[in-house]
């Protein structure tokens, strides 16, 4: 448990901060996250990555999870249902023909069944990624674990697409503690930049510049789709140390140095247009000239006394660091601040509408009361959980452009604080006292001494296991003598608090040792149980729950005490208490906006929600199609939401909204063109580009197919508007330069969560200390129970009880009243009563739309007594403000349902 809590509450947070600082967008959960005691195994029972996946969208980031070997598809699908969308990273692949065929089939299933997930090859240094046709399935491929040689990607770039490969060379160069070296660091730009495993904070600025340049190259078409890679001719050095990227039209190029040459080198570019005039720039010095392509290819570029981090730019005069830009950028137009809790950490969250610049925004800087806290190089969000965080402080943000010009500081406005909650999950700090938490041992009656912090043995990323591997593991831990252990919390302010949690013996030692004894003290007074100790029994995977309401004064101390046992190796406790101040939530005004673009009349969808006639637009023209789509949302026959539209080479929607955070859903369907990338276009929201050369047909996987796209945590601009700017894109095979959108939906981002322990009269407190209420809001059915264990329970393997009760019947119906917004509906199943897969087919409908037909939990999980988790995304309440769930038996056996989570 401590390994998992440390992984989420320490490693994930620390690495998200590094990614946010340098401008990288994928959080990599690598080897060592599972319950296995060997880092190279993944038994798939591990931390609740749903917590991380709730946080990442705020930063504009996504999740990669390392899952080695040939795991069966039912298991992987269940993890998507449990955690939400992620990129699956493979490793340890075999090469037999039978395994290869099976794995390809399973990969196709994974991508088709989980359309917002993606696939990423590794296999101990990319061997499997080079096999036939695998790259067709992948988002990206992994080059090598080790330092590799400079020759590696020089030769495979002739055969494979460099922008579908990670370069990981620099992470190992120089040994542990070094992840960036100026002499070789720019090699990252020959592929997709990626770094790990070891952190050296002094290298963060070098990595930030790499990510910034790569993003710029993507914008300019010198990296990514349709760009070229070639290798210039070299005199004075080995050719494989040099790489050249060229745009599709060959008018722009960059030459990348993989190392620093000691001698004079002449570089002869390739692939340029002979008559084109190229502005020649160097990264290291302010020298510029204009030379024809013919001259450059014939006479070359002479490099003497090469500087570290050198690059040569051709017709990229406004690249980051060009020294040409002297225009001050615009500050963010509106900034919000509010208290939040993310992955167990309390802090101040900042959200803002983007700044502006005539050329290129490199990052934002954030300060609190005049002290700079950090950089934001990806997204428009910052979470301050550093000592002294305070939503009442003066938080300010400013824009920094590619040449280091800065805007004025802009102050944040208060939005709405979340209730103050503190959790042991976020209490695994290396320093005592953070968020009020510290670790102690008893030194006698009502006397206590601090525990000792055991620091990490190394500082890997997500790799090499946790406390099971070596002292300190990856995240460090608090250690004590064989005496009573105490987690202490000190109240920062007076108030009424709810103290909720569940104590249970550690899963793999639940049958060994002895019952454990626990209690809670408020200062010197025992508050739970009323007297003596509460006993955590052996062989009981439910444990004992407390739910206390206490009045606390500032400085009061709550102690969660584990009595000493006689077998330390077996006397291991899982206890994740959560403390929440019972404060009144202050709601802020928000609206729902639904627009049927191009329509002259309003439309009421099958949920009863009204989409207004076209409004808030400027330019563009209305279009209408009679095409029949294969499916619509919210209902299959809501085709009209995709048959109207607005199109044009340059048009906007400027939508007025009250203060708040918003989620934007855009509806698309390609009803005119048959092939991919015939209609590429761009989209900016409040000045920030969010889609580049986007093609509806490609995204929807075919013409006349509905496709919805979400953009999260949007802040209105300084005029109180959310502005959508559509412009034409570019593709060499394009037929139209007209952007297109069919419908627009804006809903509030902040919404409550509902959790139901189906079939149970009593609430259940899970590993996260979230409460699953007793069964309610249902029609029909009865209750069945089982004492069988479940594989791959969620949130974690400690949450068996959620599956051991179920509501069952021919038809089960639940209806929940919810506030406006877009919701995910997460349903929990496990077949504990029938003996074979396929015996319990069910039809599952959300708000009247059947999303799963003849779905059987054991077949989906690929095993009896294994969790089968499914997730319906982007569900809006109906006109009655409800989300309804109906499960109907489609075979001879009754339907079942074990848990509901709506968030």
């Amino acid at each position: 448990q401590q390994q998992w809590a440390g992984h989420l509450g320490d490693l994930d947070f620390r690495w998200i901060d590094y990614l946010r600082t340098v401008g990288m967008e994928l959080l990599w959960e690598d080897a060592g996250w599972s319950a296995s005691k060997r880092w190279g195994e993944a038994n798939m029972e591990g931390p609740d990555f749903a917590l991380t996946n709730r946080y990442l969208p705020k930063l504009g980031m996504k999740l990669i999870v390392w899952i080695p070997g040939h795991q069966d598809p039912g298991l992987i699908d269940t993890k998507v249902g449990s955690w939400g969308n992620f990129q699956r990273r493979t490793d340890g692949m075999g090469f037999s023909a039978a395994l290869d065929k099976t794995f390809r089939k399973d990969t196709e299933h994974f991508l088709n069944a989980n359309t917002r997930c993606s696939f990423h090859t590794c296999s101990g240094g990319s061997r499997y990624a080079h096999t036939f046709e695998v790259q067709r399935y992948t988002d990206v491929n992994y080059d090598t674990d080790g330092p590799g040689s400079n020759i590696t990607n020089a030769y495979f770039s002739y055969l494979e697409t460099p922008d579908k490969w990670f370069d990981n060379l620099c992470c190992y160069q120089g040994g542990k503690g070094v992840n960036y070296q100026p002499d070789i660091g720019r090699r990252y730009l020959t592929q997709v930049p990626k770094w790990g495993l070891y952190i050296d904070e002094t290298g963060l600025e070098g990595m930030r510049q790499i990510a910034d340049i790569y993003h710029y190259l993507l914008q300019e078409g010198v990296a990514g789709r349709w760009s070229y890679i070639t290798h210039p001719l070299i005199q004075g050095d080995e050719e494989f140390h040099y790489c050249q990227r060229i745009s599709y039209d060959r008018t722009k190029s960059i030459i990348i140095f993989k190392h620093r040459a000691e001698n004079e080198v002449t570089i002869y570019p390739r692939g340029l247009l002979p008559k084109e005039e190229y502005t020649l720039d160097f990264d290291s010095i302010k020298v510029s000239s204009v030379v024809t392509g013919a001259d450059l290819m014939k006479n070359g570029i002479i490099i003497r006394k090469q500087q570290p981090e050198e690059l040569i730019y051709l017709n990229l005069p406004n690249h980051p660091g060009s020294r040409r830009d002297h225009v001050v950028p615009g500050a963010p137009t509106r900034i919000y601040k509010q208290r939040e809790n993310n992955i167990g950490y309390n802090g101040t969250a900042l959200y803002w509408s983007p700044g502006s610049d005539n050329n290129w925004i490199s990052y934002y800087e954030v300060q609190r009361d005049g002290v700079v806290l950090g950089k934001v190089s990806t997204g428009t969000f910052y979470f301050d959980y550093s000592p002294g965080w305070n939503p009442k402080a003066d938080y300010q943000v400013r824009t920094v452009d590619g040449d280091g010009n800065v805007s004025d500081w802009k102050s944040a406005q208060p939005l709405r604080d979340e209730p103050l909650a503190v959790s042991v999950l976020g209490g695994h700090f290396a320093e005592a006292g953070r968020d009020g938490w510290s670790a102690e041992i008893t030194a006698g009656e009502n006397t206590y001494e601090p525990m000792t912090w055991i620091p990490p043995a190394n500082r890997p990323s997500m790799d090499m296991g946790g406390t099971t591997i070596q002292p300190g593991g990856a995240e460090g831990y608090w250690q004590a003598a064989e005496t009573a252990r105490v987690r202490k919390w000190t109240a920062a302010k007076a108030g009424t608090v709810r103290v909720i949690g569940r104590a249970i013996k550690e899963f793999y030692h639940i049958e060994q040792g002895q019952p454990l004894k626990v209690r809670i003290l408020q200062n010197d007074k025992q508050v739970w149980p009323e007297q003596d100790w509460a006993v955590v029994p052996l062989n009981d995977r439910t444990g004992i729950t407390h739910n206390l309401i206490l009045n606390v004064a500032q400085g009061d101390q709550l102690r969660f005490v584990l009595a000493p046992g006689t077998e330390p190796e077996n006397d291991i406790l899982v206890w994740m208490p959560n403390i929440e101040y019972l404060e009144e939530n202050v709601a802020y005004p928000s609206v729902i906006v639904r627009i049927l673009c191009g329509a002259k009349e309003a439309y009421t969808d099958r949920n009863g929600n009204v989409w207004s006639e076209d409004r808030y637009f400027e330019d563009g023209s209305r279009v209408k199609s009679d095409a029949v789509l294969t499916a619509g949302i919210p209902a299959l026959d809501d085709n009209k939401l995709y048959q109207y539209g607005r199109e044009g080479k340059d048009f906007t929607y400027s939508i007025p909204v009250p203060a708040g955070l918003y989620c934007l859903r855009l509806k698309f369907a390609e009803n005119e063109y048959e092939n991919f990338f015939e209609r590429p276009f761009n989209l900016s929201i409040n000045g920030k580009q969010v889609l580049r050369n986007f093609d509806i047909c490609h995204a929807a996987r075919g013409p006349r197919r509905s496709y919805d796209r979400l953009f999260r945590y949007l802040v209105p601009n300084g005029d109180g508007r959310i502005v959508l700017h559509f412009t034409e894109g570019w593709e060499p095979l394009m037929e139209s330069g007209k952007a297109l959108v069919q419908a627009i939906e804006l809903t509030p981002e902040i919404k409550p969560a509902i959790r139901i322990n189906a079939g149970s009269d009593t609430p259940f407190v899970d590993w996260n200390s979230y409460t699953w209420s007793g069964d309610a809001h249902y029609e029909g059915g009865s209750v069945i129970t089982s004492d069988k264990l479940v594989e791959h329970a969620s949130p974690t393997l400690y949450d068996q009880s959620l599956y051991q009760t179920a509501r069952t019947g021919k038809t089960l119906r639940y209806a929940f009243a919810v506030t406006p917004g877009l919701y995910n509906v997460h349903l929990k199943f496990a077949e504990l009563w029938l003996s074979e897969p396929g015996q319990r087919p069910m039809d599952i409908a959300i708000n009247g739309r059947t999303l799963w037909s003849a779905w059987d939990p054991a077949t989906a999980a690929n095993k009896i007594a294994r969790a089968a988790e499914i997730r319906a995304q982007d569900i809006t309440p109906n006109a009655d403000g409800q989300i309804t769930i109906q499960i109907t038996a489609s075979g001879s056996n009754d339907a079942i349902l074990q848990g509901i989570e709506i968030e």
Side-chain angles (χ1 to χ4, degrees):
Q1 172 198 317
Q2 181 159 286
Q3 176 182 338
W4 292 353
H7 187 112
L8 292 172
D10 176 39
L11 287 179
D12 275 12
F13 250 99
R14 181 157 42 85
W15 271 76
I16 288 170
D17 280 353
Y18 290 137
L19 295 171
R20 181 255 305 151
T21 299
V22 304
M24 295 191 179
E25 298 145 344
L26 292 168
L27 178 68
W28 188 326
E29 308 284 7
D30 206 0
W33 61 263
S34 77
S36 172
K37 291 188 177 183
R38 298 180 58 191
W39 77 268
E41 297 176 349
N43 69 359
M44 297 293 288
E45 297 281 15
D48 182 16
F49 290 135
L51 292 174
T52 304
N53 239 350
R54 292 183 186 107
Y55 180 51
L56 289 173
K58 297 178 180 181
L59 301 104
M61 296 182 189
K62 296 182 180 181
L63 182 70
I64 302 176
V65 183
W66 178 84
I67 301 175
H70 294 267
Q71 305 286 352
D72 70 68
L75 174 57
I76 307 299
D77 290 348
T78 282
K79 291 305 179 184
V80 177
S82 300
W83 298 334
N85 301 309
F86 62 90
Q87 182 176 91
R88 182 191 171 181
R89 177 177 185 247
T90 59
D91 205 346
M93 301 302 302
F95 285 93
S96 73
L99 280 177
D100 179 66
K101 182 178 181 180
T102 299
F103 188 75
R104 291 172 193 274
K105 179 182 177 182
D106 291 348
T107 300
E108 284 196 27
H109 165 84
F110 171 70
L111 294 173
N112 286 322
N114 305 287
T115 55
R116 297 191 192 178
C117 292
S118 63
F119 177 61
H120 166 188
T121 61
C122 172
S123 190
S126 81
R127 293 170 298 170
Y128 189 71
H130 292 287
T131 59
F132 176 72
E133 214 184 22
V134 165
Q135 290 182 52
R136 186 167 64 89
Y137 299 127
T138 60
D139 250 17
V140 72
N141 306 281
Y142 182 59
D143 182 5
T144 178
D145 270 342
S149 71
N150 282 305
I151 205 170
T152 304
N153 66 352
Y155 290 104
F156 84 63
S157 65
Y158 286 107
L159 302 173
E160 297 168 299
T161 308
D163 289 299
K164 289 190 75 170
W165 285 83
F166 281 139
D167 187 348
N168 198 40
L169 173 79
C170 302
C171 69
Y172 284 100
Q173 291 286 355
K176 296 180 182 179
V178 176
N179 62 27
Y180 181 76
Q181 295 184 70
D183 285 353
I184 62 173
R186 295 294 167 97
R187 167 178 168 162
Y188 278 104
L189 293 169
T190 66
Q191 294 173 255
V192 179
K194 179 266 170 192
W195 108 99
L197 296 167
Y198 300 100
I199 282 292
D200 178 355
E201 295 194 25
T202 62
L204 290 181
E205 178 57 22
M207 294 304 303
R208 189 200 65 76
Q209 292 177 17
I210 290 285
D212 200 33
I213 293 168
Y214 187 74
H215 281 124
Y216 177 79
L217 296 178
L218 288 172
Q219 174 188 273
E220 297 298 311
V222 186
R225 182 175 169 87
W226 293 112
S227 64
Y228 295 122
I229 286 272
T230 188
H231 300 276
L233 297 173
I234 302 296
Q235 286 184 358
D237 201 359
E238 297 284 357
E239 288 187 6
F240 56 73
H241 287 301
Y242 302 82
C243 178
Q244 183 182 353
R245 287 182 173 273
I246 315 176
S247 62
Y248 180 80
D249 62 5
R250 304 189 182 220
T251 63
K252 302 174 184 177
S253 184
I254 185 173
I255 297 172
I256 301 157
F257 298 63
K258 296 185 185 179
H259 80 152
R260 185 151 66 105
E262 297 180 357
N263 304 316
E264 179 178 300
V265 177
T266 303
I267 302 168
Y268 297 90
R270 284 179 167 170
L272 304 180
L273 300 176
K275 296 182 180 180
E276 179 78 12
E277 290 189 337
Y278 293 86
T279 300
L280 171 64
D281 290 295
F282 298 88
D283 197 70
S284 63
I285 55 175
K286 190 176 181 180
V287 172
S288 182
S289 58
V290 177
V291 191
T292 66
D295 190 314
L296 287 167
M297 291 187 288
K298 178 181 178 181
N299 299 316
I301 304 167
I302 300 173
I303 305 295
R304 302 182 181 94
K305 297 181 180 180
Q306 180 187 328
Q307 299 300 305
E309 303 180 298
E310 186 64 278
L311 295 168
I312 297 175
Y313 296 95
L314 300 176
N315 271 0
L316 295 168
N318 296 315
H319 64 85
S322 69
R323 308 173 188 85
R324 285 187 170 90
D325 188 352
H326 303 291
V327 178
V328 173
T333 56
R334 180 172 299 197
I335 308 168
Y336 292 140
K337 62 180 178 179
Q338 66 180 22
R339 182 178 62 215
E340 286 186 358
N341 187 286
N342 291 298
I343 320 185
Y345 280 63
N346 285 303
T348 304
L350 304 176
Y351 301 84
W352 59 89
S353 193
S356 60
D357 190 62
N358 64 311
N359 180 31
W360 181 255
I361 294 176
S362 279
Y363 61 94
Y364 298 92
E365 276 190 318
V366 176
Q367 69 176 11
R368 181 184 71 208
D369 292 334
V371 177
V372 174
L373 297 173
K375 296 177 180 178
V376 176
S377 300
T378 181
T380 51
F381 171 86
Y382 187 90
F383 186 55
D384 175 26
Y385 59 95
S386 63
W389 68 266
N390 181 0
K392 291 182 169 41
D394 181 20
Y395 285 92
Q396 297 181 317
V397 181
R398 70 178 179 182
T399 309
V400 184
D401 72 14
D403 272 333
N405 302 303
V406 298
S407 73
D408 293 334
W409 290 101
K410 177 86 170 182
S411 290
Q413 308 168 16
L415 194 55
R416 185 201 68 168
D417 287 340
E418 292 184 357
L420 180 60
V422 291
S423 168
V424 170
L425 174 62
H428 285 69
F429 305 111
E431 68 275 18
R434 283 279 302 275
D435 269 5
W437 289 107
S438 57
E440 298 177 330
I441 57 174
T442 56
E445 187 67 24
N446 295 328
T447 59
Y448 307 92
E449 294 178 355
M451 286 190 190
T452 301
W453 175 254
I454 306 300
N458 54 55
R459 298 305 284 178
S461 58
M462 304 296 142
D463 211 341
M464 307 309 175
T467 55
T468 59
I469 307 301
Q470 52 194 340
E475 68 281 338
Y477 59 91
W478 291 96
Q479 187 179 72
E482 296 175 14
T483 182
R485 279 126 161 107
V486 179
R487 286 279 185 176
K488 181 183 72 174
W489 175 73
T490 302
K493 66 174 187 174
T496 301
V497 297
R498 182 187 301 276
V499 183
I500 193 166
R502 179 169 58 101
I504 181 175
K505 283 208 71 173
E506 197 273 333
F507 189 88
Y508 295 105
H509 297 81
I510 203 162
E511 299 177 355
Q512 290 99 40
Q514 59 190 345
L516 302 178
K517 297 187 294 184
V518 295
R519 65 183 180 184
I520 302 174
L521 306 177
Q522 182 175 2
N523 300 323
D524 295 333
K525 178 186 176 183
Q526 182 167 319
V527 293
W528 180 78
E530 292 183 0
Q531 58 186 4
D532 202 15
W533 295 83
V535 178
V536 181
L538 290 172
N539 299 313
D540 182 342
R541 289 177 169 83
T542 300
I544 55 175
T545 300
H546 56 83
N547 187 354
L548 310 174
I549 304 295
L550 302 174
N551 293 314
V552 298
Q554 184 178 359
D556 271 6
Q557 297 175 336
L558 297 184
R559 285 184 169 90
F560 303 84
V561 185
L562 168 63
T566 58
E567 300 181 35
E569 70 277 10
N570 293 316
D571 296 337
I572 305 173
L573 182 72
V574 174
W575 194 7
M576 299 289 288
N578 186 73
I579 303 165
E580 180 176 339
Y581 282 85
L582 301 182
E583 302 171 334
E584 182 179 354
N585 286 332
V586 180
Y588 55 85
S590 59
V591 298
I592 300 172
V593 177
R594 294 189 176 98
I595 301 171
L596 183 54
C597 302
K600 295 181 178 180
E601 297 178 350
Y603 171 72
T604 302
D605 66 29
R606 296 301 183 264
N607 270 347
N609 292 315
V610 177
W611 299 73
S612 78
E613 71 283 0
D614 206 0
R615 55 180 176 161
Y616 303 133
F617 61 85
E618 183 176 348
D619 298 325
S621 57
R622 62 185 299 269
V623 294
K624 187 178 183 300
S625 170
D626 295 325
V628 177
L629 277 67
T630 55
I633 296 174
L636 292 175
D637 57 352
D638 273 319
N639 279 326
K640 188 168 286 190
L641 288 174
Y642 303 89
Q643 290 174 329
Y644 290 91
R646 180 157 295 277
E647 71 172 12
K649 293 188 175 183
D650 191 326
F651 65 93
T652 61
Y653 280 85
S654 181
I655 304 170
V657 290
L661 297 174
Y662 290 89
C663 179
L664 170 70
R665 172 159 61 176
L666 300 180
K667 292 181 173 291
F668 300 105
E670 181 51 74
N671 299 324
E672 182 175 356
Y673 298 105
E674 296 293 320
N675 301 308
F676 292 175
F677 292 103
E678 291 187 295
R679 188 203 294 267
F681 61 87
N682 309 315
L683 169 64
S684 295
I685 301 177
N686 284 354
K688 179 183 178 181
Q689 190 174 74
V690 295
L691 294 177
R692 180 191 302 118
N693 291 336
F694 170 78
D695 179 73
I696 300 169
C697 191
H698 177 257
R701 302 186 181 189
R704 294 172 295 283
R705 294 171 62 95
S706 63
Y707 178 80
D708 290 16
R709 184 68 173 258
L710 263 65
F711 302 92
R712 305 283 307 276
Y713 297 99
L714 300 179
V715 174
N717 66 16
D719 296 326
R721 294 176 176 269
I722 292 178
V723 180
L724 313 181
H725 185 195
F726 294 87
T727 57
E728 67 174 323
W730 174 87
E731 283 278 326
L733 303 179
M734 63 187 286
E735 292 292 329
S736 170
K738 294 182 179 180
L740 172 69
V741 61
Q742 270 92 354
I744 299 169
E745 184 177 36
L746 272 171
T747 57
E749 185 67 71
I750 307 300
K751 47 197 178 290
I754 296 171
R755 296 180 177 91
I756 299 291
N757 186 12
S760 175
D761 292 332
T762 58
F764 177 77
V765 178
D766 68 20
W767 185 83
N768 296 314
S769 291
Y770 292 157
T771 299
W772 297 68
S773 302
D775 210 354
H777 307 287
Y778 60 83
E779 294 178 11
S782 57
V783 172
I784 53 175
T785 63
S786 173
D787 59 1
K788 290 182 180 179
L789 291 182
V790 177
E791 283 189 39
H792 304 292
S794 75
T796 72
L797 54 80
Y798 295 99
D799 299 309
Q800 297 287 323
S801 295
L802 285 173
Y803 302 87
Q804 293 173 333
T805 63
R807 180 151 295 278
T808 185
K810 292 299 181 184
T811 299
L812 310 175
R813 187 178 188 275
Y814 284 81
F816 300 96
V818 295
T819 60
L822 284 178
Y823 290 84
N824 289 333
V825 178
H826 170 204
L827 304 180
K828 303 174 74 64
F829 304 87
E831 184 55 80
L832 304 181
W833 296 274
L834 301 178
S835 59
E836 295 180 4
Q839 296 182 327
R840 199 188 297 276
M842 303 180 289
D843 296 335
I844 303 173
I846 311 291
N847 278 1
R849 179 180 181 179
T850 300
L851 299 178
W852 291 271
S853 297
W855 185 87
D856 174 67
T859 301
N862 209 30
K863 196 173 184 181
I864 295 290
R866 174 186 281 170
E869 314 273 314
I870 56 177
R871 183 176 293 258
Q873 302 178 100
D874 312 331
I875 303 298
T876 52
N878 60 26
D880 296 325
Q882 292 185 330
I883 290 178
T884 63
I885 302 166
Q886 182 163 309
I887 305 179
T888 305
S890 56
S892 57
N893 288 306
D894 286 350
I896 60 170
L897 176 61
Q898 281 129 307
I900 303 170
E901 184 177 43
I902 300 175
E903 58 178 354

